[in-house]
Amino acid sequence: MKYTPGPWQYKDGGYGKYYVKSGDTVIADCAHIDCDPSYERTEYNARLIAAAPELLEALQMLCQHSDNWKPDVWNNARAATANATRAL
């Protein structure tokens, strides 16, 4: 595994700053950007990043049991999983 294992937690740092952490390790520092007036969007981005390990695990489980399902749905799930686990 080439990424920090989950679970990742979303943390509100106040003043439009949000963090995603795994234990004491900061995974992402999501700060409000002046050109984006939406603090809300920054918070949602941090929450989405924090959910990444769970989303990847769910996709991997779906892909393992996808033989009887609609092909294009599972091809998209497989592609997303491959993108998430591709070596950098």
Side-chain angles (χ1 to χ4, degrees), residues 29-58:
D29 181 351
C30 304
H32 171 71
I33 300 170
D34 290 336
C35 63
D36 179 2
S38 173
Y39 286 98
E40 196 172 75
R41 183 178 302 169
T42 304
E43 178 182 0
Y44 289 145
N45 288 342
R47 289 180 183 274
L48 179 59
I49 292 166
E54 292 172 81
L55 293 168
L56 175 58
E57 183 180 350

Side-chain angles (χ1 to χ4, degrees), residues 1-65:
M1 173 181 331
K2 300 211 182 243
Y3 58 89
T4 304
W8 295 354
Q9 297 85 32
Y10 149 86
K11 303 288 183 188
D12 185 343
Y15 303 104
K17 243 182 136 81
Y18 302 92
Y19 300 94
V20 177
K21 296 178 101 180
S22 176
D24 291 333
T25 303
V26 174
I27 305 299
D29 181 351
C30 304
H32 171 71
I33 300 170
D34 290 336
C35 63
D36 179 2
S38 173
Y39 286 98
E40 196 172 75
R41 183 178 302 169
T42 304
E43 178 182 0
Y44 289 145
N45 288 342
R47 289 180 183 274
L48 179 59
I49 292 166
E54 292 172 81
L55 293 168
L56 175 58
E57 183 180 350
L59 276 174
Q60 288 173 323
M61 289 182 354
L62 284 172
C63 290
Q64 289 174 1
H65 304 287

